Amino acid sequence: MEVIKVKDTDIQSALDIVKRQYGSDAMILEIRKKRKYVFGPSYYELLIGIEQSSVKGNLDNLESLEKAIKRLDAAVSALAVKEDELDALSRQTGFSKDILVKARAVPTEDWKSTLRQYLSGKLEFVRLESIKFQTFPKVVVLLGPTGVGKTTTAAKLAGYLLLEKNVSSGFVTIDTFRAGAVEQTKLFGRAMNLPVEVVRRPHQMQKVLAKFPDAHYVFVDTIGRNPKEIGKLTEIKMYLDELEEWIPVLCLNAGLRKEEMQKAFEYFNKVFHIEYFILTKVDEAEGISSAVEFMAENRLKTLALTDGQNVPDDLLFPDMENVLGMVGLSL
Ligand SMILES: Nc1nc2c(ncn2[C@@H]2O[C@H](COP(=O)(O)OP(=O)(O)O)[C@@H](O)[C@H]2O)c(=O)[nH]1
Ligand SMILES: [Mg+2]
């Protein structure tokens, strides 16, 4: 046993020092009250016994700490070397370095299957028909910045349901701008012989559903001039709050950069809790790697992709393999 002396004018401070420095390994052997000279101030001297094994243990710990630091050092240098590799892979795949690192695709020989595994754990594809609703008709609200293709996509979805599933739909346009910009929806409605209603006051919302006695689905389309006006979103939300049940679907253009998608998502998600997603204009985008990253990182349930102006044909219902294939990650 090693014996150590600890001195302090205050007994509590002395005990604190022992506790801090030697922890539970310390054994107090003796406490002495002393004076340096006859009339000098008193102080305490604590004799502490420490088992050799724990001193040795601490030394062993130090050694293993040193080894760990060396290993960490080596790993950091290795990472620096991999930076070039990371850059190259990012350019080659269109995926950000950020996600390649998160997925641990670098440094790995088998980066493809590592990235595949990472993405497939986060991506989700859902068919509109499989979403359970408590109420009827099922109300689907299409949200997104102006020009992303909300109105066209609503028409495509209604067309698909009608032609492929023999299920009828209706359209509601919330015209918060009193702009009367509903002609486009009316044209689609007329072409498919499906009803279109325009709502200009929130309290009309629930009542308007009664105007679609045959519809299984009602697609609510929103009009906006400036998607940056958060006030407009809360106004749209007021209309939807009148409804018993509805699901919001965010539509974003595949040509956007990931940061732009994230910004738009956060902006809409603040007002609506976004769970479902449609990626539009895939035909115009150079690739969809960024969009796929965005979908994965936000754990969005993707309902469809759109890839052209033709209604209702340019609509895809991809599964995991389709999408992984589209970003060059097929098996
Ligand atoms: N290339 C392409 N154009 C699309 C697609 N979806 C919609 N559009 C076009 O984008 C424009 C805006 O669409 P619209 O549905 O009015 O957008 P909204 O403002 O979000 O309702 C129209 O010219 C559409 O034909 C798509 O998937 N690919
Ligand atoms: Mg529109």
Side-chain angles (χ1 to χ4, degrees):
M1 181 189 285
E2 192 184 356
V3 178
I4 291 164
K5 279 183 196 169
V6 173
K7 294 177 190 170
D8 203 292
T9 50
D10 179 61
I11 181 82
Q12 190 55 49
S13 314
L15 288 169
D16 287 347
I17 292 170
V18 171
K19 206 161 143 197
R20 219 173 26 246
Q21 290 191 353
Y22 307 104
S24 56
D25 296 331
M27 206 164 31
I28 297 170
L29 304 174
E30 202 181 329
I31 300 176
R32 296 179 189 151
K33 196 168 180 183
K34 288 184 141 184
R35 285 179 204 278
K36 243 187 179 162
Y37 44 92
V38 183
F39 298 109
S42 63
Y43 65 92
Y44 292 92
E45 186 180 86
L46 274 59
L47 290 185
I48 310 296
I50 297 168
E51 285 297 342
Q52 280 305 326
S53 63
S54 68
V55 173
K56 186 172 176 316
N58 282 340
L59 283 178
D60 285 348
N61 279 348
L62 264 181
E63 252 171 52
S64 60
L65 200 65
E66 228 171 282
K67 277 184 194 154
I69 289 171
K70 275 188 189 146
R71 277 201 302 275
L72 206 63
D73 238 9
V76 169
S77 331
L79 265 186
V81 174
K82 294 290 172 194
E83 188 70 21
D84 287 348
E85 207 177 304
L86 208 55
D87 270 328
L89 191 58
S90 171
R91 269 196 307 276
Q92 180 194 337
T93 59
F95 284 106
S96 70
K97 289 198 279 181
D98 186 39
I99 206 147
L100 293 173
V101 170
K102 269 195 218 154
R104 298 180 191 280
V106 168
T108 325
E109 289 296 302
D110 201 8
W111 64 267
K112 212 176 198 178
S113 66
T114 315
L115 189 55
R116 259 183 73 90
Q117 203 175 355
Y118 179 82
L119 288 173
S120 54
K122 291 188 178 335
L123 289 168
E124 199 175 337
F125 300 93
V126 172
R127 296 296 286 254
L128 183 58
E129 306 93 287
S130 66
I131 301 173
K132 297 260 182 298
F133 286 79
Q134 309 291 325
T135 56
F136 201 83
K138 303 169 182 182
V139 181
V140 178
V141 181
L142 295 165
L143 298 159
T146 311
V148 290
K150 295 181 293 297
T151 307
T152 317
T153 303
K156 287 176 183 175
L157 287 168
Y160 156 80
L161 289 167
L162 189 66
L163 299 172
E164 304 289 329
K165 304 281 164 187
N166 204 19
V167 156
S168 186
S169 304
F171 301 101
V172 167
T173 299
I174 297 179
D175 187 0
T176 50
F177 286 94
R178 326 274 180 268
V182 289
E183 278 319 306
Q184 189 191 5
T185 316
K186 284 191 172 157
L187 278 176
F188 287 132
R190 228 172 285 150
M192 291 186 273
N193 203 18
L194 294 176
V196 178
E197 293 290 335
V198 182
V199 172
R200 293 200 168 84
R201 299 254 180 273
H203 72 269
Q204 298 169 336
M205 228 21 221
Q206 184 67 34
K207 269 187 260 169
V208 87
L209 297 184
K211 296 192 177 175
F212 306 105
D214 302 321
H216 287 229
Y217 287 90
V218 167
F219 293 99
V220 178
D221 191 11
T222 51
I223 298 178
R225 270 187 211 139
N226 180 1
K228 295 220 161 50
E229 286 176 63
I230 198 99
K232 278 292 163 207
L233 287 193
T234 35
E235 196 179 336
I236 292 171
K237 178 77 171 6
M238 271 165 51
Y239 283 68
L240 300 171
D241 283 342
E242 293 289 322
L243 294 170
E244 258 179 71
E245 189 188 15
W246 51 281
I247 60 159
V249 180
L250 180 66
C251 302
L252 290 178
N253 178 342
L256 292 178
R257 283 183 294 117
K258 187 175 140 195
E259 298 74 38
E260 293 170 320
M261 288 196 161
Q262 192 60 35
K263 226 171 168 180
F265 166 74
E266 274 156 24
Y267 165 72
F268 281 93
N269 197 42
K270 239 184 253 167
V271 180
F272 308 93
H273 179 68
I274 304 292
E275 195 179 343
Y276 299 101
F277 180 65
I278 291 180
L279 186 65
T280 62
K281 305 197 178 182
V282 168
D283 55 310
E284 286 181 350
E286 276 198 24
I288 63 163
S289 304
S290 307
V292 166
E293 267 184 48
F294 159 78
M295 282 145 62
E297 280 173 359
N298 293 288
R299 304 252 178 175
L300 292 170
K301 294 176 179 150
T302 300
L303 294 180
L305 266 52
T306 77
D307 64 345
Q309 291 182 297
N310 299 314
V311 178
D313 291 348
D314 295 336
L315 180 66
L316 309 166
F317 298 104
D319 60 17
M320 188 71 74
E321 267 323 306
N322 300 146
V323 167
L324 290 175
M326 288 170 86
V327 292
L329 294 178
S330 33
L331 278 174

